[in-house]
Amino acid sequence: MARDVANARWTPEQKAARVAHAAELVAAAAKPCVICGVAVGKAGRLRCPQEECRRAYNAKRMREGGWTQAVGYRRRARLAKAVTESFRPIEIFERDSWECGICARPVERSRCAPDPLSASVDHIVPVSLGGDHTRANVRLAHLRCNIRRGNRVV
């Protein structure tokens, strides 16, 4: 679209065309939320920002084992010059039979962070105290138990 050079302004037809074009782009980029089905306005975003959808989506991902938090654990361990091993947290949760390694109570699979009773990966010897990020040095723990324990070796 060329602008009206004489007035250096957009004509009403040009403005209407630009608004219509922008609306078409937004509609083309909108995809349905994978949880509730409502169209979401950003391209590449597969869920809406509603709290219920976020919790359901996180719980689904944790059950499927695609937890992205594992990347953060490995990075932190590498920065501390610790030995790292690649694994998914769901592998540890299944190995430990969904039982907290600190309080020995069962952990519900359906709960997700920031719920205090959600599952989290606990380092037996904390990375900050020289522990490694390996299967042998991690266990399942409630988020509340893990936070309360901190970086102490018990």
Side-chain angles (χ1 to χ4, degrees), residues 98-127:
W98 291 89
E99 185 176 290
C100 179
I102 298 174
C103 70
R105 293 188 184 130
V107 177
E108 290 184 37
R109 299 171 193 231
S110 61
R111 296 188 184 252
C112 60
D115 188 329
L117 297 176
S118 66
S120 70
V121 174
D122 174 46
H123 289 87
I124 298 167
V125 177
V127 174

Side-chain angles (χ1 to χ4, degrees), residues 4-82:
D4 183 4
V5 179
N7 293 331
R9 294 185 182 169
W10 296 99
T11 63
E13 295 82 22
Q14 290 171 330
K15 286 181 184 177
R18 288 185 72 210
V19 169
H21 181 66
E24 289 174 14
L25 290 176
V26 168
K31 295 183 180 182
C33 170
V34 294
I35 304 299
C36 68
V38 174
V40 182
K42 284 188 170 180
R45 183 182 239 179
L46 300 177
R47 60 190 169 91
C48 61
Q50 296 179 17
E51 181 71 18
E52 302 84 38
C53 290
R54 184 183 64 79
R55 286 185 176 276
Y57 183 76
N58 288 345
K60 178 183 170 207
R61 285 193 59 210
M62 192 170 106
R63 279 191 303 275
E64 292 171 356
W67 217 14
T68 57
Q69 211 171 4
V71 174
Y73 290 127
R74 284 196 311 269
R75 180 177 184 277
R76 198 172 68 230
R78 277 194 318 269
L79 290 174
K81 306 244 186 301

